[in-house]
Amino acid sequence: AQSVTQLDSQVPVFEEAPVELRCNYSSSVSVYLFWYVQYPNQGLQLLLKYLSGSTLVKGINGFEAEFNKSQTSFHLRKPSVHISDTAEYFCAVSEGDMGRRALTFGSGTRLQVQP
Amino acid sequence: DTGVSQDPRHKITKRGQNVTFRCDPISEHNRLYWYRQTLGQGPEFLTYFQNEAQLEKSRLLSDRFSAERPKGSFSTLEIQRTEQGDSAMYLCASSLLTGVSYNEQFFGPGTRLTVL
């Protein structure tokens, strides 16, 4: 069975500083990997996804993530954060099959950007 | 707005009452998923439909929960005899399964249920 671990429940950071949100997964088969963002009282918005190919994936709002198969990790990074990036971030995995399967989410990381 | 919509956005009920939530997926999306998100946790899969057929149910979906998608368009999730542990955000997502490439799930804003 697949699972996702987000190692940090909260990450405080100052505006314009770089940030990395960590995500590790476990699965016995090939996977698709995702990062979603959730703003207060809103649904989930897809930031980026890894399906295949280049291990460095670029997403919206200046975020990027790197898939590392040997480390079973998919860490999210941004070189310079803004106050508006304050939100909850979820890493998710889906086991192959072209997206037919449901997503398995981590417990989330709250990014708090301070002025 | 052509995104996934959910109604109501908020529901407060007393323990033991029945509640029903509605999800309207993106038009022509054939897959519809329900997830539950409790405070401080990520969403957890409940069930999904391919058109009107319910193909998979999670162990989280107890006998008190029932979901339908009668005409392959909107879906309802009913909880009977609500318990305080049912308090959560219920999220709906839809996707268009083509079998050719990956099919992204698009999420609605959720229905927040509070059971007193």
Side-chain angles (χ1 to χ4, degrees):
Chain A
Q2 58 197 19
S3 66
V4 178
T5 301
Q6 292 185 243
L7 298 165
D8 306 296
S9 59
Q10 293 188 66
V11 173
V13 63
F14 288 107
E15 194 173 18
E16 297 183 7
V19 70
E20 178 180 84
L21 306 184
R22 297 180 292 169
C23 172
N24 286 88
Y25 70 93
S26 67
S27 174
S28 57
V29 299
S30 62
V31 296
Y32 301 129
L33 295 158
F34 310 86
W35 276 98
Y36 284 84
V37 60
Q38 186 175 38
Y39 298 101
N41 299 315
Q42 294 188 27
L44 297 167
Q45 181 182 6
L46 182 66
L47 274 179
L48 48 79
K49 61 181 181 283
Y50 171 79
L51 305 181
S52 64
S54 173
T55 57
L56 183 63
V57 180
K58 293 189 183 298
I60 62 172
N61 301 341
F63 284 94
E64 64 180 33
E66 186 154 18
F67 169 55
N68 187 320
K69 188 174 182 179
S70 62
Q71 300 287 327
T72 60
S73 68
F74 191 55
H75 301 332
L76 181 70
R77 303 185 185 100
K78 186 169 182 178
S80 175
V81 295
H82 302 288
I83 295 286
S84 60
D85 292 323
T86 295
E88 189 88 20
Y89 291 80
F90 294 96
C91 182
V93 62
S94 176
E95 285 185 339
D97 207 17
M98 304 302 288
R100 289 183 175 83
R101 304 294 182 88
L103 296 167
T104 297
F105 288 87
S107 56
T109 297
R110 179 168 297 279
L111 177 62
Q112 298 167 308
V113 182
Q114 303 164 4
Chain B
D1 188 345
T2 57
V4 179
S5 61
Q6 293 187 245
D7 183 71
R9 294 291 305 276
H10 303 274
K11 178 70 176 179
I12 300 174
T13 190
K14 293 182 178 179
R15 189 176 52 185
Q17 298 294 305
N18 299 343
V19 294
T20 300
F21 311 140
R22 176 179 170 126
C23 170
D24 285 88
I26 293 172
S27 179
E28 297 182 355
H29 274 194
N30 48 17
R31 275 280 172 110
L32 188 147
Y33 302 79
W34 285 99
Y35 293 84
R36 181 176 71 182
Q37 183 179 18
T38 53
L39 203 60
Q41 297 298 316
E44 296 172 291
F45 167 69
L46 292 178
T47 187
Y48 79 79
F49 293 84
Q50 171 81 17
N51 299 312
E52 67 275 9
Q54 189 173 17
L55 296 187
E56 186 175 347
K57 293 192 286 187
S58 156
R59 285 178 295 177
L60 292 176
L61 211 67
S62 75
D63 292 343
R64 296 184 298 105
F65 287 69
S66 63
E68 295 182 341
R69 194 182 183 198
K71 297 183 180 179
S73 56
F74 73 92
S75 175
T76 58
L77 177 66
E78 180 183 16
I79 309 175
Q80 296 182 326
R81 305 181 303 281
T82 52
E83 301 173 355
Q84 288 184 325
D86 297 330
S87 294
M89 174 80 86
Y90 291 83
L91 295 166
C92 176
S94 71
S95 69
L96 177 62
L97 192 71
T98 62
V100 175
S101 59
Y102 180 77
N103 314 112
E104 179 182 340
Q105 293 182 32
F106 294 86
F107 284 81
T111 294
R112 182 168 296 283
L113 173 66
T114 302
V115 182
L116 302 175

